[in-house]
Amino acid sequence: MGALATLDYIVLAIYLLVVVAVCLRVSRRSPDSDELFLAGRSLGAGVVGLSLFASNISSTTLIGLPGAAWNSGIAVANYEWMAALVLVFTAVFVAPTLLGNRITTLPELLERRFDARMRKYLSGVSVFLSIVLDTAGSLFAGALVLQVFFPGLPLGATIAALAVFAGLYTAAGGLRAVVYTDVLQSVVLLAGSAMLAWLVFAEFDFSWAAVKAAVPEDHLSLIRPIDDPHLPWLGTLVGLPILGFYYWTMNQYVSQRLLGARDMKAAGGGALLAAGLKLLPLFLMVLPGAMAISLLPDLQRSDEVFPRLLAEYAPAGLVGLVLAALLAAIMSSVDSALNSASTLITLDFVQPRRPGLDTRALARLGRWTTLGLMAVAALWAPMIQSFPGLFAYLQQAFAYVTPPLVAVFALAFLDRRLGARAALYATASGHAFSAAWFVATQLGWIDLHFTIVAGLLFVVTVVFAFAWRRVTGETPAPAALAVIDQAAASASPAWLRPAALAMTVATAALVLAFW
């Protein structure tokens, strides 16, 4: 197990050469800040959609989804189809406001609606999550798989090499280099995952009846009992929409693709394309992981499922392709997180303090920031091995940090009486309550699934917002409300809502099929 054939090395080499060639071609533009951070607002629907998908389907996903499915069943795919619904909602209701106001970063929207403090609050939290969760998690997962095939590789050095490669081409080419390499990477990722899933299904003679006979019944159901320790149905209902909304709408790491779209046709079409692609992981990653419970029953750690499936069942050549897909996933996630974090620091913290900097100076600062963040993520990534599982590490952190942010973001649109001070105090109060709940959970005083906790934290923050609104007695200025008015939104194409409805129906059909 773990040996690569000559053909595998050839496939890997071709992939790396193509990525470098694409990056070099794009980076010749010597981008200014608008080009570096938003690709000149020129991205089409196909590029937006494929890049959204590739930046999300990271090495943490390739490792985490099969591992979680092996451990507890296919309910982990609820994160994926819920993301499709969130993307549909964003395309119809949020993207028009973002593009109509020509927003550069999501925190900028909160500054226009509230004040600069809310912008910095959201930006600071987003940078932290991008580096500690998205970037570090992707580097750790990639190194974990590479060690299966190259057992002599030290964890720290492997993480450092991956970080340097992704960091350099992100700093050189900016968002345009990120999204165009993402297009290539999403194709490789889908092809490699599909072929591995096909080989795993072949072990059951392509018989769904054989799969059902070999896999425990509760492992093949999306909807689990309310006392399920892994993902209860109530958590799916009240927690996953909140986590998904932060990730797909408020997270600069993902939403930057929408902000770089040339118009609403491109943004809406790209979001719906990504929504459709998010229905595929159930078949390409989750079900193979569930099947592996009968193929690989003696694993010590769930994070080993994907690399073991690859080593045991993929033939020469395909191993190289799937490893290329893995590298694609690492690169697309790391470059996305680094570019977005660099954008937030440069535009939300530095530019307001030094408004005299021209676009070239901002771009130069952005490049150095990218490299610095890369180093921080590479240093933190080895620490993840002390946590019980990669997927749990990612999702539980999001569940405690993001609900207060989502609550205030939603109220920014829905409550026209919410002022800047009440919004800031409510967010801080929500995070204080979240921190106290987390401590109580760690001490064993409370035992509630983190997805249900996410819903609870959302409701508590809304209550805090209403309370602080009464205490402050503040009334938003007309200019603050203008940003959310329909008049400020970009016009959506006529086909967007019918297409969004069709995608919603397709998602519902998928859920019912695996209920």
Side-chain angles (χ1 to χ4, degrees):
M1 185 186 77
L4 294 182
T6 302
L7 184 58
D8 296 317
Y9 287 108
I10 293 174
V11 171
L12 281 169
I14 291 174
Y15 162 73
L16 292 173
L17 288 173
V18 171
V19 170
V20 171
V22 171
C23 179
L24 289 175
R25 180 175 178 82
V26 171
S27 62
R28 288 176 183 174
R29 292 173 174 262
S30 185
D32 58 18
S33 60
D34 197 45
E35 174 71 24
L36 186 73
F37 299 132
L38 291 179
R41 300 183 191 268
S42 63
L43 304 179
V47 172
V48 170
L50 289 171
S51 184
L52 280 170
F53 177 76
S55 62
N56 167 250
I57 300 297
S58 64
S59 55
T60 59
T61 308
L62 287 176
I63 299 297
L65 286 182
W70 178 86
N71 186 49
S72 59
I74 68 170
V76 68
N78 292 343
Y79 290 93
E80 304 304 305
W81 64 258
M82 187 63 75
L85 295 182
V86 172
L87 280 164
V88 168
F89 181 87
T90 298
V92 175
F93 297 107
V94 182
T97 297
L98 300 179
L99 269 67
N101 287 281
R102 291 188 65 80
I103 298 297
T104 303
T105 68
L106 260 293
E108 181 186 346
L109 181 68
L110 290 189
E111 179 180 33
R112 296 192 191 183
R113 174 62 179 86
F114 298 120
D115 60 18
R117 294 174 299 177
M118 279 303 302
R119 178 177 186 170
K120 289 181 170 59
Y121 196 120
L122 174 58
S123 186
V125 173
S126 298
V127 170
F128 172 79
L129 293 176
S130 290
I131 299 305
V132 173
L133 295 184
D134 296 316
T135 308
S138 294
L139 293 172
F140 172 77
L144 190 69
V145 175
L146 291 177
Q147 283 184 318
V148 172
F149 295 92
F150 306 96
L153 290 177
L155 181 67
T158 305
I159 287 172
L162 293 172
V164 169
F165 182 62
L168 287 178
Y169 84 71
T170 304
L175 183 62
R176 190 176 299 276
V178 170
V179 297
Y180 278 100
T181 52
D182 277 356
V183 171
L184 165 68
Q185 290 159 353
S186 61
V187 173
V188 174
L189 199 159
L190 285 170
S193 299
M195 296 174 81
L196 182 59
W198 180 267
L199 290 170
V200 172
F201 195 27
E203 294 297 313
F204 299 86
D205 297 323
F206 303 106
S207 168
W208 181 243
V211 172
K212 294 176 70 174
V215 177
E217 184 178 356
D218 63 347
H219 270 54
L220 296 176
S221 175
L222 288 173
I223 307 303
R224 306 297 290 271
I226 195 168
D227 60 348
D228 184 80
H230 302 288
L231 186 53
W233 67 263
L234 183 59
T236 299
L237 181 66
V238 304
L240 297 197
I242 295 168
L243 301 180
F245 188 85
Y246 173 81
Y247 190 90
W248 291 100
T249 304
M250 297 180 63
N251 187 358
Q252 183 76 15
Y253 158 54
V254 174
S255 65
Q256 200 158 339
R257 281 107 182 103
L258 295 176
L259 301 177
R262 68 169 67 102
D263 52 28
M264 259 310 299
K265 182 178 178 181
L272 293 184
L273 172 59
L277 292 173
K278 286 297 289 178
L279 301 182
L280 297 180
L282 170 62
F283 304 99
L284 302 186
M285 302 164 195
V286 175
L287 282 171
M291 295 176 196
I293 195 170
S294 66
L295 301 175
L296 306 170
D298 300 322
L299 296 181
Q300 298 299 312
R301 185 180 171 94
S302 61
D303 290 344
E304 299 175 10
V305 173
F306 176 79
R308 282 287 301 275
L309 285 176
L310 185 58
E312 297 283 351
Y313 298 104
L318 181 57
V319 175
L321 179 63
V322 178
L323 281 179
L326 172 73
L327 290 174
I330 298 167
M331 295 304 111
S332 62
S333 297
V334 173
D335 60 26
S336 300
L338 289 175
N339 185 257
S340 66
S342 172
T343 302
L344 292 172
I345 291 175
T346 303
L347 300 184
D348 291 342
F349 290 97
V350 177
Q351 189 178 41
R353 289 180 174 273
R354 302 186 64 182
L357 290 176
D358 60 23
T359 57
R360 296 285 177 177
L362 287 173
R364 188 164 51 251
L365 176 63
R367 292 191 189 94
W368 283 109
T369 302
T370 297
L371 297 175
L373 294 173
M374 172 199 71
V376 173
L379 290 172
W380 171 253
M383 302 296 105
I384 299 175
Q385 63 185 325
S386 62
F387 290 84
L390 182 59
F391 201 77
Y393 164 75
L394 296 172
Q395 298 304 330
Q396 291 190 41
F398 274 115
Y400 281 96
V401 176
T402 61
L405 300 173
V406 175
V408 171
F409 188 91
L411 290 174
F413 284 81
L414 299 175
D415 186 359
R416 299 178 67 89
R417 293 183 296 167
L418 186 66
R421 281 190 296 161
L424 179 64
Y425 297 162
T427 309
S429 299
H431 276 137
F433 187 88
S434 174
W437 193 285
F438 177 78
V439 171
T441 300
Q442 299 306 306
L443 293 175
W445 297 347
I446 302 175
D447 183 18
L448 195 62
H449 195 271
F450 66 87
T451 55
I452 300 176
V453 172
L456 176 66
L457 293 176
F458 178 91
V459 172
V460 168
T461 305
V462 170
V463 172
F464 278 135
F466 290 156
W468 282 114
R469 190 185 68 189
R470 292 182 64 86
V471 170
T472 61
E474 186 180 21
T475 302
L481 298 176
V483 71
I484 60 171
D485 285 341
Q486 190 62 33
S490 290
S492 297
W495 52 261
L496 182 60
R497 287 177 182 263
L501 178 60
M503 183 59 62
T504 302
V505 171
T507 304
L510 179 71
V511 175
L512 290 174
F514 288 90
W515 187 278

